[in-house]
Amino acid sequence: MQAQAIAAADAQPQENLEPLWLRARQGQLARAVVMVRPHDFAFNEQTGADNVFQHRLQLPPAQVTARALAEFDAMAQRLRDRGVEVLVLEKSPDGYPTPDAVFPNNWFSTSVDGSLHVYPMHTLNRRRERRVEELCQLLLSHGYEVEQVVWAGHPLEEELILEGTGVMVFDHPRKRVYAARSQRCHPGALYRYARRRGLEAVHLFDTVDSRGVPIYHTNVMMSVGEGFAVICSESLHRPEQRRQVLSALGEHHEVIDISLAQVERSFCGNILQLRGAGGQPLIAMSEQAWNGFTPAQQKMLERHGQPVVNPIPTIEAVGGGSCRCMLAELFLPRIR
């Protein structure tokens, strides 16, 4: 089925696949991010079907939400204190509950050419997170230019799913993307998007966790920064794929290899390098992730940026995602 989808995409006329060429060189590190305040935060029954990182807490729902809001606000302020611009998208007035809204990087990303990319989502309640008009208003009000909104798939797509930078980990300067095959990353959608973006290399691979289940999002098991890359090579169970991915990463990055235990217990793969005040590189991660790295790995990370460590235990436990998932990078040009 997947091979057929790839073949069908390849057979489309070239005029329908006009590349969205980047008009300026896109660097790896963003100086600004969008975060979405978790007003409706709760255990998501729909995503829990394939996200084994989600857990139920024996707490009243209102207490879970209150804890998530406090963790969110502290993290946003911590990033601002270090010079990262943080734009916050508040609750939608439409009233629909969106328990996973705190993870906006799955439904949109941005490019230096002024493009806002919107992605097909796996579950119905996550499709309701795609508040494109409200997002554009927020961006414009803060001086960012949105020249075009590009849908990576039909808004109601149910098969060719591609959940943004949750499933695509980019090496922007080299126009490469790394992606783990899953229900949330369909190969046909991935290759079609890569062609439209003018990417030069797609590294698609298969993963399994300790239960033998594919890892639901690539950014849970790997992160690519400016001069380093974190990856759980143990999860790449096909030796040839593992060799190719490690070789590609090693060409330009210091590779920090983490274990499945570090992925599953500590979210060590779910980190994001940003640029803060004075151009200083920062590495945003959760407190659990930082404590999950070995002392030697911590020293390696510190060579590439100042760790910005955030206690977000409720969001991690209930939402099944960590710091990187909470941050949608802004690469858009500024109007002012």
Side-chain angles (χ1 to χ4, degrees):
M1 188 70 175
Q2 292 173 331
Q4 292 174 350
I6 295 172
D10 287 339
Q12 294 185 46
Q14 188 60 39
E15 58 267 24
N16 294 332
L17 298 171
E18 194 67 27
L20 299 173
W21 298 105
L22 301 181
R23 295 201 295 270
R25 181 177 176 83
Q26 182 156 323
Q28 188 67 16
L29 308 188
R31 297 174 180 267
V33 295
V34 171
M35 300 179 68
V36 179
R37 200 180 303 279
H39 290 284
D40 300 324
F41 186 77
F43 184 92
N44 189 338
E45 301 286 348
Q46 295 183 21
T47 60
D50 68 334
N51 183 348
V52 297
F53 294 82
Q54 291 178 227
H55 304 283
R56 299 179 190 274
L57 298 183
Q58 298 305 310
L59 294 171
Q63 190 172 346
V64 170
T65 304
R67 288 188 178 187
L69 284 166
E71 292 169 7
F72 173 94
D73 288 336
M75 176 173 158
Q77 189 57 52
R78 199 171 286 110
L79 290 169
R80 288 181 175 126
D81 289 344
R82 286 159 178 79
V84 177
E85 184 182 11
V86 179
L87 280 60
V88 175
L89 187 62
E90 299 290 352
K91 181 177 174 63
S92 172
D94 65 15
Y96 284 113
T98 50
D100 276 342
V102 72
F103 304 133
N105 77 306
N106 302 142
W107 70 264
F108 82 90
S109 68
T110 61
S111 299
V112 294
D113 68 348
S115 299
L116 171 67
H117 305 265
V118 187
Y119 299 97
M121 303 293 287
H122 180 50
T123 62
L124 178 61
N125 62 9
R126 294 222 63 190
R127 293 171 198 157
R128 290 172 175 161
E129 296 174 24
R130 298 176 299 191
R131 297 153 52 198
V132 176
E133 183 175 351
E134 292 170 58
L135 175 61
C136 287
Q137 290 173 351
L138 176 69
L139 295 170
L140 292 170
S141 70
H142 284 80
Y144 287 94
E145 182 177 6
V146 181
E147 288 196 1
Q148 58 181 339
V149 176
V150 182
W151 286 82
H154 192 281
L156 303 181
E157 177 63 64
E158 296 182 349
E159 181 180 354
L160 299 175
I161 302 301
L162 189 68
E163 291 196 344
T165 55
V167 299
M168 295 184 290
V169 176
F170 291 99
D171 180 351
H172 290 298
R174 282 158 280 278
K175 295 186 178 181
R176 295 179 181 177
V177 63
Y178 297 86
R181 191 193 315 263
S182 71
Q183 290 185 2
R184 304 176 189 218
C185 180
H186 192 288
L190 171 67
Y191 282 109
R192 180 174 61 190
Y193 178 78
R195 287 196 303 275
R196 292 181 64 106
R197 283 290 306 275
L199 300 180
E200 296 176 0
V202 176
H203 295 277
L204 176 65
F205 49 87
D206 299 282
T207 61
V208 291
D209 63 14
S210 61
R211 304 168 184 82
V213 176
I215 294 176
Y216 79 109
H217 273 163
T218 314
N219 73 3
V220 172
M221 49 73 62
M222 74 176 294
S223 175
V224 173
E226 200 168 48
F228 76 96
V230 172
I231 185 169
C232 177
S233 68
E234 180 185 358
S235 68
L236 278 69
H237 62 101
R238 299 183 186 277
E240 182 61 19
Q241 290 181 351
R242 185 188 311 123
R243 184 193 65 78
Q244 291 175 351
V245 170
L246 288 175
S247 176
L249 288 173
E251 290 177 10
H252 302 280
H253 300 86
E254 180 178 21
V255 177
I256 302 173
D257 203 346
I258 58 176
S259 67
L260 271 174
Q262 289 176 295
V263 169
E264 296 174 356
R265 298 175 189 171
S266 303
F267 286 100
C268 288
N270 200 241
I271 68 177
L272 180 66
Q273 191 180 29
L274 297 166
R275 200 170 296 286
Q280 180 185 20
L282 309 170
I283 307 176
M285 68 186 76
S286 71
E287 183 177 59
Q288 185 173 218
W290 176 249
N291 293 335
F293 286 110
T294 68
Q297 290 170 337
Q298 289 176 345
K299 289 181 180 179
M300 294 171 73
L301 287 168
E302 287 176 325
R303 291 201 293 267
H304 297 279
Q306 177 189 357
V308 182
V309 179
N310 302 280
I312 52 168
T314 309
I315 291 173
E316 287 180 315
V318 178
S322 190
C323 273
R324 196 279 171 264
C325 296
M326 297 169 65
L327 302 171
E329 301 144 283
L330 287 183
F331 295 105
L332 296 169
R334 299 298 298 255
I335 302 172
R336 59 182 186 277

